[in-house]
């Protein structure tokens, strides 16, 4: 049931009729994996000021998969930022995920999705592994 709803949503809202559905869904799945890899790398690196780089890199890698990957990157990025803003309502003090930080994250997300080099956000000294 859920898969059929997703397919209908993609068809009606996204206008994906110009390509094979299987291709779009495969790209979306691969894009989601790219986003997850960037997230886990960010958590592993635990490197100061590297957040925007990993946002840009995840979106860049996902968007390179094609329209499905770009769609997945946008959906995941928007959901992540929206969930952070929502949870901030219930936290006490400054969580570091305020409106300004969310805007900066979205700029990095769009930078990567548009095909621009994610290394523009790479902080000095971040290990080459990433």
């Amino acid at each position: 049931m859920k898969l059929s709803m997703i397919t209908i949503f993609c068809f009606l809202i996204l206008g994906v009729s110009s390509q094979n559905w299987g291709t779009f869904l495969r790209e979306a799945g691969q894009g989601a994996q790219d986003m997850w890899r960037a997230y886990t790398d960010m958590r592993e690196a635990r490197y100061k000021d590297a957040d925007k780089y990993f946002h840009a890199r995840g979106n860049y890698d996902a968007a390179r998969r094609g329209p499905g990957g770009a769609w997945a990157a946008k959906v995941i990025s928007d959901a992540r930022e929206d969930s952070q803003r929502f949870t901030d309502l219930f936290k006490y003090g400054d969580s570091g995920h305020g409106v300004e930080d969310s805007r900066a994250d979205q700029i990095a997300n769009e930078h990567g999705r548009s095909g621009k080099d994610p290394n523009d956000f790479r902080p000095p000294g971040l290990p080459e592994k990433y």
Side-chain angles (χ1 to χ4, degrees), residues 3-126:
L3 181 59
S4 64
M5 292 304 293
I6 290 170
T7 303
I8 292 169
F9 173 80
C10 292
F11 179 71
L12 294 176
I13 305 301
L14 301 175
V16 186
S17 61
S18 65
Q19 68 173 326
N20 183 334
W21 281 103
T23 301
F24 182 85
L25 294 174
R26 185 181 74 247
E27 291 169 357
Q30 291 169 337
Q33 289 174 337
D34 291 331
M35 296 292 287
W36 180 254
R37 186 173 37 258
Y39 175 75
T40 56
D41 283 351
M42 179 179 69
R43 299 282 302 211
E44 178 185 299
R46 296 176 54 125
Y47 198 83
K48 185 176 171 75
D49 299 326
D51 177 51
K52 305 306 178 259
Y53 164 73
F54 287 107
H55 277 268
R57 196 193 84 190
N59 278 268
Y60 176 81
D61 291 344
R64 289 186 56 175
R65 301 285 184 176
W71 175 80
K74 176 140 180 58
V75 168
I76 292 167
S77 295
D78 289 349
R80 176 69 177 148
E81 293 308 315
D82 290 345
S83 71
Q84 284 180 340
R85 282 185 294 206
F86 179 75
T87 58
D88 281 350
L89 296 173
F90 302 103
K91 290 186 177 184
Y92 297 104
D94 183 17
S95 67
H97 297 292
V99 174
E100 299 83 21
D101 187 61
S102 183
R103 277 194 206 118
D105 286 348
Q106 289 291 34
I107 288 169
N109 293 337
E110 180 56 37
H111 183 86
R113 269 195 312 275
S114 68
K116 295 178 183 169
D117 188 1
N119 287 311
D120 293 344
F121 290 92
R122 187 182 189 89
L126 180 67

